[in-house]
Amino acid sequence: MIRTFGWNEFLFILMAIRWTIALSAIAFIGGGIGGLAIALARTSGDKVVRQATAGFIRVFQGTPLLLQLFLVYFGMAVVGAAINPWIAAALALTLHASAFLGEIWRGCIEAVPLGQNEAATALGLKWASRQRWIILPQAARIAVAPTVGFLVQLIKGTSLAAIIGFTELTRAGQIINNATFEPFTVFSIVAGLYFVLCWPLSLLARQAEIRFARASAR
Amino acid sequence: MTTTSETAAEAPRKTLETAVRMEAVNKWYGAFQALKNVDLEVRSGERIVVCGPSGSGKSTLIRCINQLEAIQSGRIFVDGIELTAGGKNVDAIRREVGMVFQQFNLFPHMTVLENCTLAPMKVRGETRDAAEATARKYLARVHIPEQADKYPAQLSGGQQQRVAIARALCMNPKIMLFDEPTSALDPEMVKEVLDTMIDLADGGMTMLVVTHEMGFARRVADRVIFMDRGEIVEMAPPDRFFDDPQHERTRTFLGQIA
């Protein structure tokens, strides 16, 4: 029997947005930690560390996110872990975000003039202090806009987790569509919800960009 | 103000102590040799001015002293501590050596006061109160105590460079390195920075100064070094250096900048 698309169906889709937000948040926080480590490694003085992390970034930038999800999902079975879409999606997106944020933040760190690091070094500040007090605070200002921009990509990217059976916004849409056969209505609503989630962030990114341009023109 | 050393007898100009010694120092950038077998001994309290054409190795020379550049061979001693090629004692040495850069390199996200207190607090473990008291003392000494709460971008170039000098002094260095401190300044601001450096020299600070300000060299330097292609070509007291240079290359250089 075919259900008609009504209020309950809409609510089912709307409620699934929390899983999209949760998955995005986990990937963003995990990716933030991983990305910071990678960005610091990429800008370190140690050649081996630099190249190892460069390889990591290249792998994740050079393969589709969907395949990264597949590889983590099926890879868990290979190493004998129980297949769990939650863990697989969170892990794959965290690795993905780590690689991309690492590369974005590497650029921001390298945009801080070399003289800043030299002055801090000459004052006797060690590596960790230089990063904490001098380099990262300046890099962070440059990083706001591209980081928010990537967050938007990441939120949209979580829709791929539907394919490995993770019930988030897109998957909820598929489920409702399978019951109602009203694909245009259903997926318009799904797309609309992504838009509501992402558009304010895009605005924020643009504002941050304008603010940064103004601040650096001073 | 309590009775500080400002009116006290002039500090002894120099002692026999060695502040910096370089022995057969070699430095390459890839195939380019930036320093060739450099030997140099700087006594405590001495003021050395280093000049030479661009690319002659003069900046490299002073940047080796606090290991902003690593050397490939030779030995460097700073304040009796050997700076091994592996850079083991480098932290100890950087605490003793202050540096002022051509581009000031103030931290733009911090106020003037924060620029001056960061290293004393993080490196020397001073309390905020102690660090701020020291910072205000040195900001007064470079004649900008009223700018303490401003950000570097709000100051003129000359003021920024004086903050940079104060920032270095806050670490109580025994030796000060100056890497073309007036080269990035508008002409009308050169004097205020040079006056600050002269004041520092009169206080007995050991100084190595890379500069083309020959008036400063004449007035302040104990010895002037001319470098070319990574070598120390000539080293002499300023009178002899300027009035009777021994080497053809020195004469050519002095002719060009005069």
Side-chain angles (χ1 to χ4, degrees), chain A residues 1 23 27 46-47 50 63 71 79-80 91-92 112 133 135 145-146 155 168 170 194 211 217:
Chain A
M1 199 198 116
L23 185 59
D46 189 318
K47 204 175 167 188
R50 269 204 319 268
T63 54
L71 287 176
V79 299
L91 184 62
V112 176
W133 302 105
I135 307 299
I155 291 170
E168 39 62 79
T170 302
Y194 277 112
R211 228 185 11 233

Side-chain angles (χ1 to χ4, degrees), chain B residues 2 9 33 93 95-96 99 139 162 207 214 227 244 255:
Chain B
T2 51
Q33 188 164 8
I93 283 164
R95 281 196 290 269
E96 308 298 335
M99 188 160 194
L139 287 171
R162 285 185 283 149
M207 294 164 70
M214 291 304 141
M227 288 188 74
D244 185 22

Side-chain angles (χ1 to χ4, degrees), chain B residues 53-164:
Chain B
S54 64
S56 59
K58 54 195 193 300
S59 286
T60 307
L61 178 82
I62 65 167
R63 288 162 61 91
C64 286
I65 294 170
N66 63 352
Q67 279 275 287
L68 287 184
E69 306 284 353
I71 61 169
Q72 272 82 39
S73 73
R75 304 173 83 182
I76 300 178
F77 298 85
V78 179
D79 197 33
I81 308 169
E82 179 164 10
L83 194 63
T84 51
K88 253 167 123 184
N89 298 323
V90 65
D91 291 329
I93 283 164
R94 282 180 184 147
R95 281 196 290 269
E96 308 298 335
V97 179
M99 188 160 194
V100 175
F101 299 84
Q102 182 178 352
Q103 300 296 341
F104 327 140
N105 295 348
L106 293 178
F107 307 133
H109 58 302
M110 296 180 176
T111 64
V112 164
L113 194 65
E114 287 166 345
N115 264 275
C116 293
T117 55
L118 180 74
M121 286 167 62
K122 300 297 165 196
V123 178
R124 290 206 186 275
E126 286 181 22
T127 63
R128 179 175 297 278
D129 286 349
E132 286 187 356
T134 310
R136 289 188 193 280
K137 180 180 90 180
Y138 284 116
L139 287 171
R141 181 155 172 199
V142 301
H143 308 297
I144 36 175
E146 72 285 357
Q147 311 287 3
D149 297 316
K150 290 197 179 159
Y151 285 88
Q154 296 170 285
L155 305 183
S156 73
Q159 289 173 325
Q160 289 191 50
Q161 194 60 299
R162 285 185 283 149
V163 171

